[in-house]
Amino acid sequence: MSSPKPKANRLINETSPYLLQHAYNPVDWYPWGDEAFDLARAEDKPLLVSIGYSACHWCHVMEHESFEDEETARTMNENFVNIKVDMEERPDVDHIYMSFVQMTTGRGGWPMNVFLTPDKRPFFGGTYFPPAPRYGMPSWQQILLSIAEAYRQRRDEIDHSANEIVGELRRLSMVDEGTTLSNALLDDAFASFERSFDAKNGGFGGAPKFPQAMSLEFLLRHHYSTHDQKALEMTRLTLDKMAFGGMYDQLGGGFHRYSVDNVWLVPHFEKMLYDNAQLARIYLHAFQVTGDPEYRRITTETLDYVLREMTDESGGFYSSQDADSEGEEGKFFVWSEPEIDDLLGDDAHAFKFFFDVSNEGNFEGKNILNRPRSIDSAAAALKIEPFDFFSLIENAKRRLFEVRETRIKPHRDEKVLASWNGLMLAAFADAAGALGNKDYLRAAEKNAEFLLGKMLTDSGRLFRSWKAGEAKLNGYLDDHANVADGLLALYQATGDISYFQNARSLVDQMIEYFWDQEAGGFFYTSNDHEELVVRTKDFTDNATPSGNSAAADVLLRIAKLTGDDRYERFAVATLRLAARQIARYPQGFGRALSTLGSHLHDAGELAIVGPRDNELAKVALSSYLPTTTVALSSDPDKDAAKVPLFEGRGRSDGPLAFLCKNFVCSRPATSSAELREMLAANEKGSNV
């Protein structure tokens, strides 16, 4: 006799894949909202808010161990009003309570479990708790019973503690303008990166190692502005080690979340859209600087992975893929030696030598493919011609990939988030322009069409999240800033003025709804957002750029394109608020440092007039010009009304390129050779 189907809880009506994963738990879960808080007040119960995301391995572990357990669920239901939150949909909620957990425990992460009073004040929190006491940790049941008893018997203490905590959280969001914006701030930041750099394995610090794309972008820009070879060497070593290690999917392209060791070998196997967006962009920029074909390969393989695995037919990009499949972390990606021998036959020996495959394996008896040696050195060691060896490896990779495609794939979170889509839009737009790739251009244009058609409210404001035809939740600061950034990148690649207009509209809304009129800087939530216990203002660049860093960046570029210095004033005020924090901990401000570099080392504006895909545009878009604002126009008389840079540029028999500073322009370049010479002179600091 089959067991009855479990009863669904209130999460069954949600669209978030993470919340739906918990819809049949015996825990009486509520989504975040008034219904749960009203019930907590009516029944005088504390709330348990459990926060995670779909690709989180330990979130799945705690669900299986505790939230699927009938006895544990009974304890939770009797003593608490229980709320499940998808941190990717509600980063505002996550940020507040993560700050609390980090402040009170010294660490953070997901799953995060926080206990609140009915008016949303936190009083106890932590991350993962086991089902039984171990590793010096109490069990989840012990935590639940202890909190329930304290709430009944020591309410005054809890209220006093919660009030103090809210005060501390408010102080965390206060910033003081301090350090002057200067080259010294950039130089000191570079020295800090240099001190923490792993000169053997690349990256910064020890295990675990995260792919700090924004920090690498700062190093690449520092090299561009100062010609410091050390900055380029640090960037290249890190990019090489990441690309050849197990953190990169050697068969399917794309990067896993991070490396659990310090040599980039064993990853945490989840794949996040935001990592692959930022890493595709830094590898592309490294290719533009160095011409190294390996960087181009990593860029295209990563973007091709996104097109193949992470793109909705509507044009939106999905959020993530799990680390687990069939209940095992990494199972989809790893190989045993006998599997490879059976599949490759005579080619197996060369493949195993190149990809570090052994009988004992390098991960729980299996093999994570990685490249400890180059094509040329491996070919020489095996006494095979390099071209023949390359062909052998590529054919073998295709065969293994085809077999891997028949395996059960990790779960995919098909939620589309505006902010992360903005990051990926920028990557596709940059790659389309730099590589002349029409597929990437189509992907970028379709994504922009999706964002502007499916994720805008009737009043033109952004939604945060979309899934299965439904857009929901107010957009946050990073949604507006990153989508504006992506639209500006697409405008740069196409010259289509509508992308610029939409980017400017989002920036204007950002100022109207998020700017702090009293203290400056941008709040994370809009001024008409749901009231939370504190309205946060974050400047730290973590896995994704902070909203303030991205906002300052797009504001500077909008200022250059419009000639309206009001935008620049907002950007500079934002950077000044972050300056003291940047000076204390530069590694947490990679995007802010790049933006500051653009402000201090402004190389001017490059206006190109002529038909789309003209030779001058190709030169500009294929060049690494991080501090130059590029604008294209096939109809300068029409576009000048929106972008004054094109005023008076008129028409000519062929394309023209004007290099300008403060709207004073050079004589136009008319050939590719002239433009390259002009850009090279400008890079060296010559006056235009």
Side-chain angles (χ1 to χ4, degrees), residues 310-374:
M310 301 293 283
T311 305
D312 188 85
E313 62 181 12
S314 65
F317 301 122
Y318 299 139
S319 293
S320 64
Q321 286 180 309
D322 274 10
D324 303 9
S325 56
E326 301 181 75
E328 294 182 27
E329 183 172 6
K331 183 175 183 179
F332 180 78
F333 299 99
V334 298
W335 300 85
S336 69
E337 185 180 44
E339 282 180 298
I340 291 174
D341 288 337
D342 290 345
L343 286 169
L344 299 183
D346 293 342
D347 293 339
H349 176 67
F351 182 90
K352 291 189 296 184
F353 179 71
F354 185 60
F355 281 110
D356 190 32
V357 174
S358 64
N359 188 54
E360 61 274 14
N362 53 29
F363 177 72
E364 299 177 358
K366 296 292 183 70
N367 289 276
I368 300 168
L369 301 183
N370 68 101
R371 293 176 48 177
R373 52 189 64 84
S374 69

Coordinates of all heavy atoms in Angstrom, one line a residue, residues 310-374:
M310 N 21.4 27.8 -19.9 CA 20.8 28.8 -18.9 C 20.0 29.9 -19.6 O 19.7 30.9 -19.0 CB 22.0 29.5 -18.2 CG 22.9 28.5 -17.5 SD 22.1 27.7 -16.0 CE 22.1 29.1 -14.9
T311 N 19.5 29.7 -20.8 CA 18.7 30.7 -21.5 C 17.3 30.2 -21.7 O 17.1 29.2 -22.3 CB 19.4 31.0 -22.8 OG1 20.7 31.4 -22.6 CG2 18.7 32.2 -23.5
D312 N 16.3 31.0 -21.3 CA 14.9 30.7 -21.5 C 14.6 31.1 -22.9 O 15.2 32.0 -23.5 CB 14.1 31.5 -20.5 CG 12.6 31.2 -20.6 OD1 12.2 30.2 -19.9 OD2 11.8 31.8 -21.3
E313 N 13.6 30.4 -23.5 CA 13.2 30.8 -24.9 C 12.8 32.2 -25.1 O 12.8 32.8 -26.2 CB 12.2 29.8 -25.4 CG 10.9 29.8 -24.7 CD 9.8 28.8 -25.2 OE1 10.2 27.9 -26.0 OE2 8.7 28.9 -24.8
S314 N 12.3 32.8 -24.0 CA 11.9 34.2 -24.0 C 13.0 35.2 -24.1 O 12.8 36.4 -24.3 CB 11.0 34.5 -22.8 OG 11.8 34.4 -21.6
G315 N 14.2 34.7 -23.8 CA 15.4 35.6 -23.8 C 16.0 35.9 -22.4 O 17.1 36.4 -22.3
G316 N 15.3 35.5 -21.4 CA 15.9 35.7 -20.0 C 16.9 34.6 -19.7 O 16.9 33.5 -20.3
F317 N 17.8 34.9 -18.8 CA 18.8 34.0 -18.3 C 18.5 33.4 -17.0 O 18.1 34.2 -16.0 CB 20.2 34.7 -18.3 CG 20.6 35.2 -19.6 CD1 20.9 36.6 -19.7 CD2 20.7 34.4 -20.7 CE1 21.3 37.1 -20.9 CE2 21.1 35.0 -21.9 CZ 21.4 36.3 -22.0
Y318 N 18.6 32.1 -16.8 CA 18.2 31.4 -15.6 C 19.3 31.7 -14.5 O 20.4 32.2 -14.8 CB 18.1 29.9 -15.8 CG 17.1 29.5 -16.7 CD1 17.3 28.5 -17.6 CD2 15.8 30.1 -16.7 CE1 16.3 28.0 -18.5 CE2 14.8 29.7 -17.6 CZ 15.1 28.6 -18.5 OH 14.1 28.2 -19.4
S319 N 19.0 31.4 -13.3 CA 19.8 31.8 -12.1 C 21.0 30.9 -11.8 O 22.1 31.4 -11.6 CB 18.9 32.0 -10.9 OG 18.0 33.0 -11.0
S320 N 20.7 29.6 -11.8 CA 21.8 28.7 -11.3 C 21.5 27.3 -11.6 O 20.4 26.9 -12.0 CB 21.9 28.9 -9.8 OG 20.7 28.4 -9.1
Q321 N 22.6 26.5 -11.5 CA 22.4 25.0 -11.5 C 23.0 24.5 -10.2 O 24.0 24.9 -9.7 CB 23.2 24.4 -12.7 CG 22.5 24.6 -14.0 CD 23.3 24.0 -15.2 OE1 24.5 24.3 -15.3 NE2 22.6 23.2 -16.0
D322 N 22.4 23.4 -9.7 CA 22.8 22.8 -8.4 C 24.2 22.2 -8.5 O 24.7 21.8 -9.5 CB 21.8 21.7 -8.0 CG 20.6 22.3 -7.2 OD1 20.5 23.5 -7.2 OD2 19.9 21.5 -6.7
A323 N 24.8 22.0 -7.3 CA 26.0 21.2 -7.2 C 25.7 19.7 -7.2 O 26.5 18.9 -7.7 CB 26.7 21.6 -5.9
D324 N 24.5 19.4 -6.8 CA 24.1 18.0 -6.6 C 23.3 17.4 -7.8 O 22.6 18.2 -8.5 CB 23.2 17.8 -5.4 CG 23.9 18.3 -4.1 OD1 24.9 18.9 -4.2 OD2 23.3 18.0 -3.0
S325 N 23.5 16.2 -8.1 CA 22.5 15.4 -9.0 C 22.5 14.0 -8.4 O 23.4 13.5 -7.9 CB 23.0 15.4 -10.4 OG 24.3 14.9 -10.5
E326 N 21.3 13.5 -8.5 CA 21.0 12.1 -7.9 C 21.5 12.1 -6.4 O 22.0 11.0 -6.0 CB 21.7 11.1 -8.7 CG 21.2 11.0 -10.2 CD 21.9 9.9 -11.0 OE1 21.5 8.7 -10.8 OE2 22.8 10.2 -11.8
G327 N 21.4 13.2 -5.7 CA 21.7 13.2 -4.3 C 23.2 13.3 -4.0 O 23.6 13.2 -2.8
E328 N 24.1 13.4 -5.0 CA 25.5 13.5 -4.8 C 26.1 14.7 -5.4 O 25.8 15.1 -6.5 CB 26.2 12.3 -5.4 CG 25.8 10.9 -4.7 CD 26.6 9.8 -5.4 OE1 27.7 10.0 -5.9 OE2 26.1 8.6 -5.4
E329 N 26.9 15.4 -4.6 CA 27.6 16.6 -5.1 C 28.6 16.2 -6.2 O 29.4 15.4 -6.0 CB 28.3 17.4 -4.0 CG 28.9 18.7 -4.5 CD 29.4 19.6 -3.4 OE1 29.5 19.2 -2.2 OE2 29.8 20.7 -3.8
G330 N 28.5 16.9 -7.3 CA 29.5 16.7 -8.4 C 29.3 15.5 -9.2 O 30.1 15.3 -10.2
K331 N 28.3 14.7 -9.0 CA 28.2 13.4 -9.7 C 28.1 13.6 -11.2 O 28.7 12.8 -12.0 CB 27.0 12.6 -9.2 CG 26.8 11.2 -9.8 CD 25.7 10.4 -9.2 CE 25.6 9.0 -9.9 NZ 24.5 8.2 -9.3
F332 N 27.4 14.6 -11.6 CA 27.2 14.8 -13.1 C 28.6 15.1 -13.8 O 28.8 14.8 -14.9 CB 26.3 16.0 -13.3 CG 26.1 16.4 -14.7 CD1 25.2 15.6 -15.5 CD2 26.7 17.5 -15.3 CE1 24.9 16.0 -16.8 CE2 26.5 17.8 -16.6 CZ 25.6 17.0 -17.4
F333 N 29.6 15.7 -13.0 CA 30.8 16.2 -13.7 C 32.0 15.3 -13.6 O 33.0 15.6 -14.3 CB 31.1 17.6 -13.0 CG 30.0 18.6 -13.2 CD1 29.1 18.9 -12.2 CD2 29.9 19.3 -14.4 CE1 28.1 19.8 -12.3 CE2 28.9 20.3 -14.5 CZ 28.0 20.5 -13.5
V334 N 32.0 14.3 -12.7 CA 33.2 13.6 -12.5 C 33.2 12.2 -13.2 O 32.2 11.7 -13.6 CB 33.4 13.3 -10.9 CG1 33.6 14.7 -10.2 CG2 32.3 12.5 -10.3
W335 N 34.4 11.6 -13.3 CA 34.6 10.4 -14.1 C 35.5 9.4 -13.4 O 36.5 9.8 -12.7 CB 35.3 10.8 -15.5 CG 34.5 11.7 -16.3 CD1 34.5 13.1 -16.2 CD2 33.6 11.4 -17.3 NE1 33.6 13.6 -17.2 CE2 33.1 12.6 -17.9 CE3 33.2 10.2 -17.9 CZ2 32.1 12.6 -18.9 CZ3 32.3 10.2 -18.9 CH2 31.7 11.4 -19.4
S336 N 35.3 8.2 -13.6 CA 36.2 7.1 -13.2 C 37.1 6.8 -14.4 O 36.8 7.0 -15.5 CB 35.5 5.9 -12.8 OG 34.9 5.2 -13.9
E337 N 38.3 6.3 -14.0 CA 39.3 5.9 -15.1 C 38.7 4.9 -16.0 O 38.8 5.0 -17.3 CB 40.6 5.5 -14.5 CG 41.6 5.2 -15.6 CD 43.0 4.7 -15.0 OE1 42.9 3.9 -14.0 OE2 44.0 5.2 -15.4
P338 N 38.0 3.8 -15.5 CA 37.5 2.8 -16.4 C 36.4 3.4 -17.4 O 36.3 2.9 -18.5 CB 36.8 1.8 -15.5 CG 37.6 1.9 -14.2 CD 37.9 3.3 -14.1
E339 N 35.6 4.4 -16.9 CA 34.7 5.0 -17.8 C 35.4 5.6 -19.0 O 34.9 5.5 -20.2 CB 33.9 6.1 -17.1 CG 32.8 5.6 -16.2 CD 32.1 6.8 -15.5 OE1 32.8 7.6 -14.8 OE2 30.9 7.0 -15.8
I340 N 36.5 6.3 -18.8 CA 37.2 7.0 -19.8 C 37.9 6.0 -20.7 O 37.9 6.1 -22.0 CB 38.2 8.0 -19.2 CG1 37.4 9.2 -18.6 CG2 39.2 8.5 -20.3 CD1 38.2 10.1 -17.8
D341 N 38.4 4.9 -20.2 CA 39.1 3.9 -21.0 C 38.1 3.3 -21.9 O 38.4 3.0 -23.1 CB 39.7 2.8 -20.1 CG 40.9 3.3 -19.3 OD1 41.6 4.2 -19.8 OD2 41.2 2.7 -18.3
D342 N 36.9 3.0 -21.4 CA 35.9 2.3 -22.3 C 35.4 3.2 -23.4 O 35.1 2.8 -24.5 CB 34.6 1.9 -21.4 CG 35.0 0.8 -20.5 OD1 36.0 0.1 -20.7 OD2 34.2 0.5 -19.5
L343 N 35.3 4.5 -23.1 CA 34.8 5.5 -24.1 C 35.8 5.8 -25.1 O 35.4 6.0 -26.3 CB 34.3 6.7 -23.4 CG 33.0 6.6 -22.6 CD1 32.7 7.9 -21.7 CD2 31.8 6.5 -23.6
L344 N 37.1 6.0 -24.7 CA 38.1 6.5 -25.7 C 39.0 5.5 -26.3 O 39.7 5.8 -27.2 CB 38.9 7.6 -24.9 CG 38.1 8.8 -24.4 CD1 39.0 9.8 -23.8 CD2 37.3 9.5 -25.5
G345 N 39.1 4.3 -25.7 CA 39.9 3.3 -26.3 C 41.3 3.7 -26.4 O 42.0 4.1 -25.5
D346 N 41.9 3.7 -27.7 CA 43.3 4.0 -27.9 C 43.7 5.5 -27.5 O 44.8 5.8 -27.2 CB 43.7 3.7 -29.3 CG 43.6 2.3 -29.7 OD1 43.6 1.4 -28.7 OD2 43.6 1.9 -30.9
D347 N 42.7 6.3 -27.5 CA 42.9 7.8 -27.2 C 42.9 8.0 -25.7 O 43.2 9.1 -25.3 CB 41.9 8.7 -27.9 CG 42.0 8.6 -29.4 OD1 43.1 8.3 -29.9 OD2 41.0 9.0 -30.1
A348 N 42.6 7.0 -24.9 CA 42.4 7.3 -23.5 C 43.7 7.7 -22.8 O 43.7 8.6 -22.0 CB 41.8 6.0 -22.8
H349 N 44.8 7.1 -23.2 CA 46.1 7.3 -22.5 C 46.4 8.8 -22.6 O 46.8 9.5 -21.6 CB 47.2 6.5 -23.1 CG 48.5 6.8 -22.5 ND1 48.8 6.5 -21.2 CD2 49.6 7.3 -23.0 CE1 50.1 6.9 -20.9 NE2 50.6 7.4 -22.0
A350 N 46.4 9.4 -23.8 CA 46.7 10.8 -24.1 C 45.7 11.7 -23.3 O 46.2 12.7 -22.7 CB 46.7 11.1 -25.5
F351 N 44.5 11.4 -23.4 CA 43.5 12.2 -22.7 C 43.7 12.2 -21.2 O 43.6 13.2 -20.6 CB 42.1 11.6 -23.0 CG 40.9 12.4 -22.4 CD1 40.4 13.5 -23.1 CD2 40.5 12.2 -21.2 CE1 39.4 14.3 -22.6 CE2 39.4 12.9 -20.6 CZ 38.9 14.0 -21.3
K352 N 44.0 11.0 -20.6 CA 44.2 10.9 -19.2 C 45.4 11.7 -18.8 O 45.4 12.3 -17.7 CB 44.2 9.4 -18.8 CG 42.9 8.7 -18.9 CD 43.0 7.3 -18.3 CE 44.0 6.4 -19.0 NZ 44.0 5.0 -18.4
F353 N 46.4 11.6 -19.6 CA 47.7 12.3 -19.2 C 47.4 13.8 -19.2 O 47.8 14.5 -18.3 CB 48.7 12.0 -20.3 CG 50.1 12.7 -20.0 CD1 50.9 12.4 -19.0 CD2 50.5 13.7 -20.9 CE1 52.1 13.0 -18.8 CE2 51.7 14.4 -20.7 CZ 52.5 14.0 -19.6
F354 N 46.7 14.3 -20.2 CA 46.4 15.7 -20.4 C 45.5 16.3 -19.3 O 45.7 17.4 -18.7 CB 45.8 16.0 -21.7 CG 45.7 17.5 -22.0 CD1 46.7 18.4 -22.0 CD2 44.4 18.0 -22.3 CE1 46.6 19.7 -22.3 CE2 44.2 19.4 -22.6 CZ 45.3 20.2 -22.6
F355 N 44.5 15.5 -18.9 CA 43.5 15.9 -18.0 C 43.6 15.3 -16.6 O 42.7 15.4 -15.8 CB 42.0 15.6 -18.5 CG 41.6 16.6 -19.5 CD1 41.4 16.3 -20.8 CD2 41.3 17.9 -19.2 CE1 41.0 17.2 -21.8 CE2 40.9 18.9 -20.1 CZ 40.7 18.5 -21.4
D356 N 44.8 14.8 -16.3 CA 45.1 14.4 -14.9 C 44.2 13.3 -14.3 O 43.7 13.4 -13.2 CB 45.1 15.6 -14.0 CG 45.7 15.4 -12.6 OD1 46.6 14.6 -12.5 OD2 45.2 16.0 -11.6
V357 N 43.9 12.3 -15.2 CA 43.0 11.2 -14.8 C 43.8 10.0 -14.3 O 44.8 9.6 -14.9 CB 42.1 10.8 -15.9 CG1 41.3 9.6 -15.6 CG2 41.2 11.9 -16.4
S358 N 43.4 9.5 -13.1 CA 44.1 8.4 -12.5 C 43.1 7.4 -12.0 O 41.9 7.7 -11.8 CB 45.0 8.8 -11.4 OG 44.3 9.4 -10.3
N359 N 43.6 6.2 -11.6 CA 42.7 5.2 -11.1 C 42.1 5.6 -9.7 O 41.0 5.3 -9.4 CB 43.4 3.8 -11.0 CG 42.4 2.7 -10.6 OD1 41.4 2.5 -11.3 ND2 42.7 2.0 -9.6
E360 N 43.0 6.2 -8.9 CA 42.6 6.6 -7.5 C 41.8 7.9 -7.5 O 41.0 8.2 -6.6 CB 43.8 6.7 -6.6 CG 44.8 7.8 -7.0 CD 45.8 7.3 -8.0 OE1 45.7 6.2 -8.6 OE2 46.9 8.0 -8.1
G361 N 41.9 8.7 -8.6 CA 41.1 9.9 -8.7 C 41.6 11.0 -7.9 O 42.6 10.9 -7.1
N362 N 40.9 12.2 -8.0 CA 41.3 13.3 -7.2 C 40.1 13.9 -6.4 O 40.2 14.9 -5.8 CB 41.9 14.4 -8.1 CG 41.0 14.8 -9.3 OD1 39.8 14.7 -9.2 ND2 41.7 15.2 -10.3
F363 N 39.0 13.1 -6.4 CA 37.8 13.6 -5.7 C 36.9 12.4 -5.4 O 36.2 11.8 -6.2 CB 37.0 14.6 -6.6 CG 35.7 15.0 -5.9 CD1 35.7 15.9 -4.8 CD2 34.5 14.6 -6.4 CE1 34.5 16.3 -4.2 CE2 33.3 15.0 -5.8 CZ 33.3 15.9 -4.7
E364 N 37.0 11.9 -4.2 CA 36.2 10.8 -3.7 C 36.2 9.6 -4.6 O 35.2 9.0 -4.9 CB 34.8 11.3 -3.4 CG 34.7 12.4 -2.4 CD 33.3 13.0 -2.2 OE1 32.4 12.5 -2.9 OE2 33.1 13.8 -1.3
G365 N 37.4 9.2 -5.1 CA 37.6 8.1 -5.9 C 37.3 8.3 -7.4 O 37.5 7.4 -8.2
K366 N 36.8 9.5 -7.7 CA 36.6 9.9 -9.1 C 37.5 11.0 -9.6 O 38.3 11.5 -8.8 CB 35.1 10.3 -9.3 CG 34.1 9.2 -9.0 CD 34.1 8.1 -10.0 CE 33.0 7.1 -9.7 NZ 31.6 7.6 -10.0
N367 N 37.4 11.4 -10.8 CA 38.3 12.4 -11.4 C 37.6 13.7 -11.8 O 36.6 13.6 -12.6 CB 39.0 11.8 -12.6 CG 40.0 10.8 -12.2 OD1 41.2 11.0 -11.9 ND2 39.6 9.5 -12.3
I368 N 38.0 14.8 -11.3 CA 37.7 16.1 -11.8 C 38.7 16.4 -12.9 O 39.9 16.5 -12.6 CB 37.7 17.2 -10.7 CG1 36.7 16.8 -9.5 CG2 37.4 18.5 -11.3 CD1 36.9 17.6 -8.3
L369 N 38.2 16.6 -14.1 CA 39.1 16.9 -15.2 C 39.8 18.3 -14.9 O 39.1 19.3 -14.6 CB 38.4 17.0 -16.5 CG 37.6 15.7 -16.9 CD1 37.0 15.8 -18.3 CD2 38.6 14.5 -16.9
N370 N 41.1 18.3 -15.1 CA 41.8 19.6 -15.0 C 43.1 19.5 -15.8 O 43.4 18.4 -16.3 CB 42.2 19.9 -13.5 CG 43.2 18.9 -13.0 OD1 44.4 19.2 -12.8 ND2 42.7 17.7 -12.6
R371 N 43.7 20.6 -16.1 CA 44.8 20.6 -17.1 C 46.1 21.1 -16.4 O 46.4 22.3 -16.3 CB 44.5 21.6 -18.2 CG 43.4 21.1 -19.1 CD 43.0 22.1 -20.2 NE 44.2 22.6 -20.9 CZ 44.2 23.5 -21.9 NH1 43.0 24.0 -22.3 NH2 45.3 23.9 -22.4
P372 N 46.9 20.1 -15.8 CA 48.1 20.6 -15.1 C 49.3 20.9 -16.1 O 50.3 21.4 -15.7 CB 48.5 19.3 -14.3 CG 47.9 18.2 -15.1 CD 46.7 18.7 -15.7
R373 N 49.1 20.7 -17.4 CA 50.1 21.0 -18.4 C 49.5 21.6 -19.7 O 48.3 21.4 -19.9 CB 50.9 19.8 -18.7 CG 50.1 18.6 -19.1 CD 50.9 17.3 -19.1 NE 51.5 16.9 -17.9 CZ 50.8 16.2 -16.9 NH1 49.6 15.8 -17.1 NH2 51.4 15.9 -15.8
S374 N 50.3 22.3 -20.4 CA 49.8 22.9 -21.7 C 49.7 21.8 -22.8 O 50.3 20.7 -22.7 CB 50.8 24.0 -22.1 OG 52.0 23.4 -22.5

